Amino acid sequence: MKTCKLVICDIDGTIVVKHKKLTSRAKKVINLLQQNGIYFGIASGRPIFQIKETIKGWGYDDFDVLIGLNGSSLKDSLTQKQYEYFRMKKEWIKETIELMKPFDAHPSIYTNNAQIFVFEDDFSRQASTFSGLKTIVTHDMASMYLKDNAKIMFRIEESKMPQVEEWIKNHPSEHYIGFKTQPNLIEFCDKRVSKGYALRSFCSMHDIDLEEVAAFGDTSNDNDMLKISGLGVCLLNGSEDTKAAADIITDKTCDEDGWADYMEKHFISKYKKLAQG
C-alpha cells in the first residue's frame, strides 16, 4: 500500500474482545499513530452515540472518523459533521421478520438512544449492562416496523447460523441484504449500505486515496471495507469469508491482542526506525 494516512477498525472481535476495554498495548499504538499524523477511526455496527460512549470508556474524547450502523451513519470529527445514509423502509423491515420466522429469531432495533426488543431473554436483560443503552421490551412485533430504520437485528441460536445464512442467500431481496455480524447475530440493512460506502465518503471529503487506508475487521459486515482499502486485515479469529476478503490475516486472535501485535510488528517498528534516523 501507499504511505498510510488512515487506520480504521471494527470494534468487537477486532480491536477488543466483546464487552472488554481497550488494552494499554492497543492505546499505545493508537497514540503513536496520532502522534505521527495518521488518522484513526472506528467502523462498527453500533450506532454513533454508542460508539462515542464506548471510546469514552477507553479514555478518548473522540477519534477522527466514526462509522456506525454498518455504514448507515458517519461522524466526521475533522469537520464535526454527521451524515446518514440509506434507511430501510418499514415495509422491508416487516419482510425480514417474515423471512426469519422459521428460525425463532428475536428481533431488535435501535431508536432514540435506546434498543427495542420484542422478547425478554438473556441478551435483552444484559444489553443495558454492556451497552449503556436504555432497553425496552415491547412484546409487540409491529413495534419493529412503525417507521424506517437503519437496520434490524435478529438474535438466533449459534448452531442455526449456517442454515440461516443459506436461507438468506436463497431468498435475496432487491432492496436489502442480510449478513452475520456475530456468531449468533444476523442484521439486515439497505443493500447500498456498507462500512466501505461510508469510508469511501469520508476519504473523498478529505482527499485521502483509499490505497492510503489500512482497515481491520473480523466478520462479514467488514468485508467491503477491507476490500476497498489499500490494506485489508482480518483477525485470526475472523470468519472465513472475511479472511478471503482480506489481504492479510493476523498471527494472533483478538483475544491475544492480535490487532496491537500486528500494528507493533508492521507499523510501529517502521516509525521507530524513522525516529532513529
Side-chain angles (χ1 to χ4, degrees):
M1 66 179 297
K2 294 182 177 180
T3 301
C4 184
K5 288 187 178 180
L6 168 64
V7 174
I8 190 157
C9 299
D10 173 53
I11 299 178
D12 298 325
T14 299
I15 196 168
V16 295
V17 177
K18 192 175 182 183
H19 304 319
K20 301 282 186 173
K21 289 193 175 182
L22 199 67
T23 65
S24 59
R25 188 179 178 190
K27 286 182 181 181
K28 287 179 182 178
V29 172
I30 293 172
N31 295 343
L32 188 57
L33 291 174
Q34 295 176 326
Q35 289 166 14
N36 282 275
I38 297 175
Y39 296 132
F40 183 78
I42 290 292
S44 172
R46 305 180 190 185
I48 295 291
F49 64 82
Q50 190 182 3
I51 297 174
K52 289 179 180 178
E53 289 303 310
T54 297
I55 64 177
K56 281 182 182 178
W58 295 347
Y60 293 91
D61 292 328
D62 204 358
F63 289 135
D64 301 300
V65 54
L66 305 178
I67 294 173
L69 296 169
N70 298 318
S72 190
S73 298
L74 167 67
K75 177 170 184 282
D76 181 348
S77 300
L78 302 182
T79 61
Q80 291 303 313
K81 293 182 179 180
Q82 188 162 325
Y83 305 88
E84 307 296 329
Y85 308 111
F86 311 127
R87 290 306 197 239
M88 276 188 79
K89 295 185 181 298
K90 57 186 178 182
E91 55 265 33
W92 303 348
I93 295 174
K94 185 177 180 180
E95 283 183 22
T96 65
I97 291 172
E98 291 297 316
L99 180 66
M100 294 295 287
K101 269 187 176 180
F103 303 102
D104 189 30
H106 287 199
S108 66
I109 58 173
Y110 292 117
T111 181
N112 297 327
N113 291 6
Q115 188 167 2
I116 299 178
F117 298 86
V118 174
F119 306 106
E120 185 172 8
D121 56 17
D122 288 342
F123 179 69
S124 64
R125 286 188 289 269
Q126 294 170 0
S128 61
T129 301
F130 292 123
S131 69
L133 296 176
K134 177 182 178 182
T135 59
I136 301 169
V137 179
T138 68
H139 303 291
D140 178 13
M141 193 67 76
S143 63
M144 296 288 103
Y145 49 86
L146 292 176
K147 58 183 180 179
D148 299 351
N149 203 300
K151 68 176 184 178
I152 183 168
M153 301 162 279
F154 292 89
R155 188 73 46 175
I156 60 170
E157 292 179 19
E158 188 172 340
S159 61
K160 293 181 180 179
M161 184 60 76
Q163 184 183 357
V164 171
E165 289 186 291
E166 187 66 20
W167 179 258
I168 293 171
K169 180 180 177 182
N170 292 331
H171 294 79
S173 167
E174 63 178 309
H175 304 299
Y176 53 81
I177 54 172
F179 45 83
K180 176 180 65 177
T181 57
Q182 294 177 26
N184 62 344
L185 190 69
I186 285 284
E187 302 187 12
F188 290 88
C189 64
D190 186 300
K191 69 188 310 178
R192 294 168 292 181
V193 167
S194 73
K195 293 180 181 181
Y197 181 92
L199 173 61
R200 188 181 283 108
S201 297
F202 176 80
C203 289
S204 177
M205 287 185 278
H206 296 287
D207 197 29
I208 299 171
D209 191 323
L210 286 167
E211 285 294 318
E212 299 170 316
V213 177
F216 294 78
D218 73 296
T219 196
S220 304
N221 64 335
D222 300 315
N223 291 359
D224 187 50
M225 179 174 73
L226 268 57
K227 286 177 181 178
I228 69 169
S229 297
L231 179 66
V233 183
C234 180
L235 274 288
L236 183 60
N237 51 277
S239 59
E240 292 306 314
D241 59 314
T242 305
K243 289 177 179 177
D247 300 303
I248 292 172
I249 300 168
T250 61
D251 295 329
K252 296 184 178 181
T253 66
C254 179
D255 192 49
E256 300 170 304
D257 223 357
W259 178 79
D261 178 76
Y262 178 87
M263 293 298 292
E264 287 172 352
K265 290 176 179 175
H266 301 280
F267 278 71
I268 304 311
S269 60
K270 172 184 175 180
Y271 292 112
K272 283 182 177 178
K273 288 178 182 178
L274 288 174
Q276 293 171 353

